[in-house]
Amino acid sequence: MRTTVGIIGAGPAGLLLARLLHNAGIDSVVLESRDRAYVERRQRAGILEQGTADALRAAGAGERMDREGLRHDGIELRFAARRHRVDLPALTGGRSVTVYAQTEVCKDLIALRTEEGGPLLFEAEALAVEGADTDRPRIRFRHQGTEDVLECDYAVGCDGFRGVARRAVPARLARVFERTYPFAWLGVLADVPPSHDELVYARHDRGFALLSMRPPATRHRPSGQAAPPPAGSFVSRLYLQVPEGTDAGEWGEEEIWDELERRFETADDWTLKRGPLIQKSVTPMRSFVHEPMRHGRLFLAGDAAHIVPPTGAKGLNLAVGDAVTLARALAHEKRTGSPELLDAYSGSCLRRVWQAERFSYDMTTLLHRAPDATGFEDRIQLARLERIVSSRAAETDLAECYTGFPFG
Ligand code: RFL
Ligand code: PHB
């Protein structure tokens, strides 16, 4: 098999890249190790930065997002039983975020890919990228029990943190920066309307909690059906900080609600609505950057090159930024014959990546309680929060970072 751009992975990075290349008249083949239903159901991100929503629109993939996504103009910070709303547009000259689940972004991009007839092979597992530093990189893969080779002009690893593409960069040329955190997130989807109409990030002496939401589509709508969910019918997506290595089975339903209630406590009459849990899982927390994001004709994009802890809601947005930057560079090369944007790819993505790493680290250490935290650290966290809610400059910094960094 032969193509111009061989893409490993049909997550947001790989699917958007394939769409943008198609729009630029560049052919590609996408190899995805899982089946379609799995990719469309995998519960992950929920918040799109303004630049991400704009990029999906510009790619022709924003129609359902514009109908069913929710524009959010604020987030709430909750600490010491106090509530503080961060008004995003007022602080950023009009920027906001969109609540639209990653599952839905993937469904929309898969539907477009299927319509345009571009090759997207499910249950096709890449085994290795070979010849990355030659003119003809090759992706060895297994599809329906048979090994095959995809020859391409460029290979792109959009295969997530556990993918194989990164391994093709020789260790002597790579630098890895990593940090793991001594806690994880227990995430639940609950069949009950969200208890607040904006996201709530709560710092508590017992640990962090987050209130978010999902359209009901997350639960029972197969891809391709377009009936919008009735307004107000969103379900709750909730997270609790738990110790690293926790098994989701250790937490019973009542126990989860009791703990959420404690951590979301307020001095006013706000209450947490309870309902049946539909889904429960644990996510480890990690910061990770692989430099460079390019080796010869192999490019890395999204989680394959970098991971952030989810507190800043940045992972999916970085994946989209990489895809946009790389598609632009490949189109430029096709149009002008000049590799200048391809040469600049790694450096320009990494500038944005490190800003997102810093912000995600700041939000994580601001809101989570480390198991060995002392009274001093608790007071410093509260003082950092106090600073954000009492200084327009500090609050503006948070709002600018949350709504997003410009694409390189
Ligand atoms: P993905 O989505 O992991 O997709 C990689 C794809 O590659 C496939 N694959 C292979 N295919 C072929 N051959 C192989 N050898 C392969 N190995 C792997 C996989 O099956 C998969 O389909 O990476 P991508 O595209 O880079 O996208 C990154 C995002 O998924 C990720 O950063 C976000 O989900 C992170 N994240 C969040 N990001 C946000 O921007 N906002 C959020 O609110 C947000 N919340 C979250 C999150 C991640 C979470 N978890 C579960 C880690 C909340 C959570 C709980
Ligand atoms: C989510 O809805 O899954 C979500 C929202 C905000 C975050 C992380 C996850 O910071």
Side-chain angles (χ1 to χ4, degrees):
M1 212 190 284
R2 163 132 201 91
T3 187
T4 306
V5 182
I7 300 174
I8 313 174
L15 289 168
L16 179 60
L17 178 63
R19 171 69 182 174
L20 293 169
L21 293 178
H22 169 82
N23 291 350
I26 299 172
D27 65 296
S28 68
V29 171
V30 183
L31 305 173
E32 165 58 50
S33 55
R34 303 288 191 154
D35 63 31
R36 178 170 179 173
Y38 183 92
V39 171
E40 292 188 340
R41 268 189 220 127
R42 189 168 39 195
Q43 271 309 315
R44 288 213 173 159
I47 298 291
L48 311 184
E49 291 173 357
Q50 176 115 21
T52 297
D54 291 345
L56 290 169
R57 270 179 213 117
E63 194 195 314
R64 195 161 69 94
M65 173 189 75
D66 281 333
R67 243 182 310 123
E68 299 182 18
L70 285 183
R71 178 190 156 118
H72 274 203
D73 284 342
I75 55 169
E76 182 176 312
L77 294 178
R78 200 173 280 194
F79 61 101
R82 291 166 54 188
R83 308 174 61 181
H84 175 85
R85 179 170 189 263
V86 178
D87 185 333
L88 300 170
L91 293 159
T92 60
R95 295 169 75 84
S96 61
V97 294
T98 300
V99 175
Y100 191 63
Q102 182 167 328
T103 45
E104 307 311 299
V105 172
C106 288
K107 279 184 206 167
D108 295 345
L109 288 167
I110 290 170
L112 285 171
R113 181 77 178 171
T114 310
E115 258 168 48
E116 74 205 18
L120 163 53
L121 276 58
F122 288 101
E123 300 177 75
E125 185 189 5
L127 303 171
V129 179
E130 294 167 350
D133 53 356
T134 69
D135 284 349
R136 273 295 151 82
R138 296 150 47 92
I139 303 170
R140 263 198 309 113
F141 68 100
R142 190 185 302 116
H143 184 44
Q144 294 170 338
T146 312
E147 275 202 28
D148 205 340
V149 170
L150 177 61
E151 288 188 2
C152 33
D153 294 342
Y154 299 99
V156 188
C158 298
D159 47 352
F161 182 62
R162 305 200 178 282
V164 297
R166 212 169 49 230
R167 289 188 216 148
V169 183
R172 69 192 153 77
L173 299 178
R175 284 195 73 184
V176 165
F177 303 87
E178 190 165 20
R179 182 188 174 96
T180 54
Y181 299 82
F183 38 76
W185 279 14
L186 172 67
V188 297
L189 199 60
D191 194 4
V192 60
S195 305
H196 190 52
D197 52 10
E198 292 177 341
L199 269 65
V200 180
Y201 288 82
R203 185 257 171 222
H204 192 277
D205 284 345
R206 297 177 64 90
F208 170 73
L210 171 64
L211 181 154
S212 181
M213 58 201 73
R214 291 284 185 275
T218 309
R219 214 156 26 107
H220 44 234
R221 209 139 39 89
S223 60
Q225 273 178 250
S233 68
F234 275 57
V235 297
S236 302
R237 175 77 173 151
L238 297 143
Y239 296 98
L240 275 177
Q241 175 190 342
V242 292
E244 187 187 17
T246 297
D247 179 333
E250 291 168 30
W251 283 76
E253 196 155 331
E254 285 306 300
E255 210 182 339
I256 291 173
W257 286 114
D258 290 348
E259 191 59 28
L260 285 165
E261 207 160 72
R262 282 190 208 105
R263 297 190 194 180
F264 284 125
E265 70 176 351
T266 61
D268 61 15
D269 58 359
W270 184 89
T271 54
L272 179 68
K273 292 189 206 110
R274 297 189 179 209
L277 299 188
I278 305 159
Q279 191 247 0
K280 192 167 70 166
S281 61
V282 171
T283 306
M285 307 276 278
R286 177 184 275 114
S287 301
F288 171 89
V289 181
H290 180 284
E291 293 185 359
M293 289 172 58
R294 174 202 186 165
H295 172 60
R297 287 175 170 260
L298 167 67
F299 294 83
L300 302 175
D303 279 14
H306 41 73
I307 296 280
V308 285
T311 330
K314 287 283 170 260
L316 164 61
N317 295 294
L318 285 179
V320 165
D322 293 350
V324 168
T325 307
L326 184 53
R328 201 183 289 147
L330 288 164
H332 182 75
E333 198 266 358
K334 176 183 155 90
R335 222 177 29 249
T336 65
S338 161
E340 61 184 335
L341 295 187
L342 289 172
D343 291 344
Y345 170 75
S346 179
S348 73
C349 288
L350 284 168
R351 268 190 294 283
R352 188 164 167 269
V353 166
W354 276 112
Q355 284 306 315
E357 291 287 346
R358 175 195 61 79
F359 176 64
S360 305
Y361 171 86
D362 281 353
M363 287 288 278
T364 301
T365 57
L366 175 71
L367 296 166
H368 292 73
R369 191 158 199 281
D372 59 353
T374 62
F376 177 81
E377 278 139 351
D378 289 341
R379 285 287 190 276
I380 291 288
Q381 273 187 333
L382 291 170
R384 285 168 70 191
L385 282 158
E386 191 64 52
R387 174 78 189 150
I388 291 165
V389 306
S390 60
S391 152
R392 194 173 167 92
E395 195 185 13
T396 300
D397 183 51
L398 189 152
E400 281 180 1
C401 295
Y402 194 80
T403 51
F405 308 103
F407 294 170

